[in-house]
Amino acid sequence: MNDTGPVLPRGYDEMPIPFGWFAVALSTELAAGEVKTLEYFATEFVIWRGEQGEVHAVDPFCPHLGAHLGVNSDVVGDDLRCPFHHWRFNGEGGVTDIPYTEVIPPKLKRSCLPAWPVCEVDGVIFVWYHPRRAAPKWEVARLPECPEGEWILAETHDWVIDIHCQEITENGQDYAHFGAVHGVPFAPAGEMKIDGWVRRSTVVAEMETPRGLMTGKIDVTATGPGQSMTEFIDVTHVVQSQQVTPIDAHRTHLRWQMYHIPGLSDGRLRVTAARMRDLVKQVNQDIPIWNRKRFHDKPLLVKGDGPILAYRQQYAKYYDFDDDAEPGNIAARH
Amino acid sequence: MSEITLNVTDTDGAGHTLTAQPGDVLMHVLRDNISLDIGVCGGEISCGTCMVRLDPDWSQSLAGPGDDEAEMLEALDAPGGARLGCQVIVGDNLQRGAVALLHED
Ligand code: FES
Ligand code: FES
Ligand SMILES: [Fe+2]
């Protein structure tokens, strides 16, 4: 990577941070009783896991005298205790204890510390980010149904990339780069459908298997701007659960958890491992381009480029910060 | 501008004669003349150190407590008719008033 930053502006200063559910940690990264300060969305917040296991997130500064709640604080039961005067807060940001005063003012008990909606699903901790703190508009998506038994988590990966998060998820709609960057010999034939806050694409593609190229199906379901699941169904059956989380408008944290069905033979396990390796290889081919590209508001597009503008039109809904913003429906066929 | 005379009884039972101007917040008058332990929260309705009882004429000339004040008075287990001095503005129709401080540590 480059030691010096880019010389020319890349267009991200003008791009807002979208609202939505975003992954902020893996479940394994936050033990019961643990507190962490996280920096995403060009801001910071504090998360903790109560002793019963529930995760909570709040703004960083104590409403009392302003201590940072991520520094030397403690988890007491389900609550977070500020280090400075030991006020205790629940997950709604309400005060549950002040050790030196007799009466806790009722309005402080209700809430006096802004709390963030939190959801923990399939081993990932999500928070709902909205610059005006509007309530969540959809639910975090879960893994698809496993055809038999339980999905097996084979690998996790993460990368911090110098790019706006909108650009990473645009990649799947950018059909022409598959050949140039990834050496996929032809553009995948696909279909993209937009249904409310969910974007689905089904791609029928030739995939490499030990028996040569084989036609497989790739289903992508993106729920909001922060989450997508890609299901590969051919000789093996793999789910790549992906989250993109804006650190700010210029930097994105990309996470993958890769699952496969249980009960695979050794041969199929080898194909599965190769598929996962190939996906990691592909993202490593994208990253150098992502780290230095520019966002073109009006790109020069030609036939064969894929439904990039339809994707952007849906994505613009994530910048509509009115409380009652609703998505429209678009379908694009390639 | 007509000054207002306030006869204040503190929590030890001692009497104080103070003057106030119309528009003064009662809590500020009590804090500046009687004890700096009054009004710790600065009028945010979260300390209760400004709790008072007013004479009936004065009390009846005022609008009743707002929701936050009523809720805090209830949490403080305040006697009936008590008010938070930070929520009482000395009115210009008032010539004199009697105030009993109720908060004890
Ligand atoms: S600053 Fe947090 S308890 Fe005082
Ligand atoms: S000054 Fe704190 S409640 Fe009135
Ligand atoms: Fe100190």
Side-chain angles (χ1 to χ4, degrees):
Chain A
M1 261 203 57
N2 317 288
D3 300 324
T4 57
V7 174
L8 295 173
R10 297 172 59 201
Y12 302 138
D13 285 336
E14 293 76 38
M15 293 170 78
I17 294 173
F19 66 77
W21 286 107
F22 292 100
V24 296
L26 297 182
S27 297
T28 50
E29 293 169 334
L30 189 70
E34 198 176 353
V35 184
K36 277 196 167 152
T37 303
L38 300 179
E39 292 171 19
Y40 287 111
F41 324 113
T43 187
E44 56 178 318
F45 51 96
V46 172
I47 64 170
W48 77 95
R49 192 188 289 281
E51 277 156 17
Q52 301 307 310
E54 222 189 311
V55 181
H56 307 287
V58 291
D59 275 7
F61 297 113
C62 181
H64 180 220
L65 282 164
H68 196 294
L69 292 165
V71 177
N72 294 348
S73 53
D74 294 295
V75 173
V76 180
D78 197 37
D79 297 345
L80 182 65
R81 188 178 70 174
C82 178
F84 208 1
H85 313 92
H86 285 184
W87 286 29
R88 271 161 60 171
F89 298 92
N90 61 25
E92 284 79 55
V95 176
T96 56
D97 188 43
I98 301 175
Y100 54 86
T101 208
E102 304 87 57
V103 174
I104 302 173
K107 64 174 181 180
L108 305 194
K109 274 192 196 169
R110 271 198 301 277
S111 181
C112 57
L113 171 63
W116 297 53
V118 179
C119 178
E120 188 169 18
V121 163
D122 296 325
V124 182
I125 299 168
F126 292 83
V127 301
W128 172 261
Y129 167 75
H130 190 289
R132 299 195 193 151
R133 298 187 187 272
K137 294 174 187 290
W138 64 84
E139 284 179 14
V140 173
R142 297 179 168 275
L143 288 173
E145 192 86 38
C146 188
E148 71 237 51
E150 302 270 321
W151 293 109
I152 291 172
L153 177 63
E155 299 178 10
T156 62
H157 299 272
D158 76 313
W159 298 267
V160 172
I161 304 165
D162 287 338
I163 194 168
H164 188 285
C165 61
Q166 172 182 328
E167 299 256 77
I168 292 185
T169 40
E170 185 171 284
N171 206 243
Q173 279 61 246
D174 175 359
Y175 294 164
H177 96 288
F178 283 104
V181 178
H182 305 307
V184 177
F186 31 75
E191 192 185 354
M192 175 171 107
K193 282 205 197 87
I194 287 173
D195 175 12
W197 302 109
V198 178
R199 187 185 72 244
R200 281 193 185 83
S201 349
T202 302
V203 173
V204 177
E206 301 300 312
M207 295 198 259
E208 283 181 52
T209 76
R211 278 171 264 145
L213 286 180
M214 173 183 164
T215 303
K217 198 169 81 129
I218 307 176
D219 271 322
V220 186
T221 305
T223 306
Q227 194 188 14
S228 53
M229 305 264 186
T230 307
E231 204 172 348
F232 299 84
I233 308 167
D234 55 331
V235 290
T236 177
H237 192 159
V238 167
V239 172
Q240 173 198 16
S241 180
Q242 166 175 293
Q243 302 88 36
V244 295
T245 308
I247 295 167
D248 54 32
H250 301 249
R251 270 182 314 160
T252 300
H253 197 161
L254 172 67
R255 290 180 175 87
W256 287 2
Q257 304 86 44
M258 317 255 255
Y259 296 89
H260 61 71
I261 48 171
L264 290 174
S265 65
D266 284 355
R268 281 170 190 236
L269 270 177
R270 273 195 298 278
V271 179
T272 304
R275 172 72 38 76
M276 293 180 181
R277 250 196 325 276
D278 195 49
L279 289 167
V280 172
K281 186 181 100 193
Q282 289 198 13
V283 80
N284 283 323
Q285 291 166 332
D286 285 316
I287 286 172
I289 294 174
W290 287 344
N291 274 329
R292 283 304 281 262
K293 77 176 293 298
R294 183 185 200 284
F295 175 73
H296 278 320
D297 193 23
K298 292 197 168 60
L300 276 177
L301 299 172
V302 297
K303 183 161 186 270
D305 269 328
I308 290 173
L309 297 184
Y311 161 81
R312 290 187 181 182
Q313 189 178 330
Q314 185 214 19
Y315 206 96
K317 297 293 177 188
Y318 303 124
Y319 301 134
D320 179 352
F321 298 132
D322 284 344
D323 265 15
D324 50 3
E326 286 295 333
N329 290 351
I330 305 164
R333 203 177 283 270
H334 178 58
Chain B
M1 211 140 56
S2 55
E3 264 184 4
I4 294 136
T5 304
L6 298 181
N7 294 307
V8 181
T9 313
D10 68 24
T11 50
D12 296 328
H16 306 256
T17 304
L18 313 178
T19 54
Q21 306 294 330
D24 281 352
V25 175
L26 178 58
M27 176 272 278
H28 291 156
V29 177
L30 300 172
R31 179 194 63 191
D32 295 348
N33 291 285
I34 295 183
S35 165
L36 294 180
D37 292 336
I38 295 169
V40 171
C41 76
E44 289 298 312
I45 316 187
S46 55
C47 70
T49 56
C50 62
M51 191 164 54
V52 291
R53 193 200 305 280
L54 306 176
D55 68 72
D57 284 351
W58 186 3
S59 189
Q60 274 152 31
S61 73
L62 298 173
D67 289 350
D68 283 347
E69 185 185 353
E71 195 180 50
M72 184 64 185
L73 286 166
E74 194 185 323
L76 288 162
D77 233 339
R83 295 296 307 262
L84 294 177
C86 60
Q87 304 305 305
V88 175
I89 312 278
V90 176
D92 48 14
N93 54 346
L94 198 71
Q95 262 114 50
R96 54 192 314 114
V99 182
L101 273 161
L102 298 177
H103 181 79
E104 290 169 274
D105 282 313

